[in-house]
Amino acid sequence: QIEPARVGAEDMFGGSPVHMVACGFKHTLIVTEEGALWTCGGGNGALGLNDINNQWLPTRVEVQHFGDAKIVSAAGGDCHSAAVTEHGGLYTWDLGQDAEAAPSAGLGHDGMHTKLVPTCVAPHLLQGMRVGRCHRLPPHNA
């Protein structure tokens, strides 16, 4: 029988409590209450650590990749990841079409090339959409 176990000690994640956790196929993303993003698991470009190595211990993704903004939400897919900043900026990363095994279907950027660190999706590419957890849909879409 598998039993839940606490990850790390009180000083884990820089001493900040965990705000949310998201899981991809072989990786995990942890957002802390202070707005930091930590990742661990199978590499394949999904960790945002500028390499494709596995990282079995949670490692903080460098804040400068997010323009020094706090992270409020994250999501993981097969071999890709995404994060949303406090200002609504969308950042995505993965191996892109350069991967042999599972090429990306696109990350919202102009092209489908590898992004090993979080890369901001240009606002004009979002075509006026906003990213966040709860936004009211226009009546014709509800």
Side-chain angles (χ1 to χ4, degrees), residues 79-82 90 92-98 102-115 121 125:
C79 291
H80 65 278
S81 298
L90 172 63
T92 61
W93 60 98
D94 87 342
L95 281 179
Q97 200 163 22
D98 301 330
S104 170
L107 295 171
H109 304 282
D110 278 336
M112 298 187 343
H113 298 287
T114 295
K115 308 283 186 193
V121 176
L125 294 175

Side-chain angles (χ1 to χ4, degrees), residues 25-28 40-47 52-56 78:
F25 182 59
K26 294 182 180 178
H27 65 289
T28 304
C40 60
N44 292 337
L47 301 180
I52 60 170
N53 300 325
N54 296 333
Q55 184 61 257
W56 303 122
D78 187 19

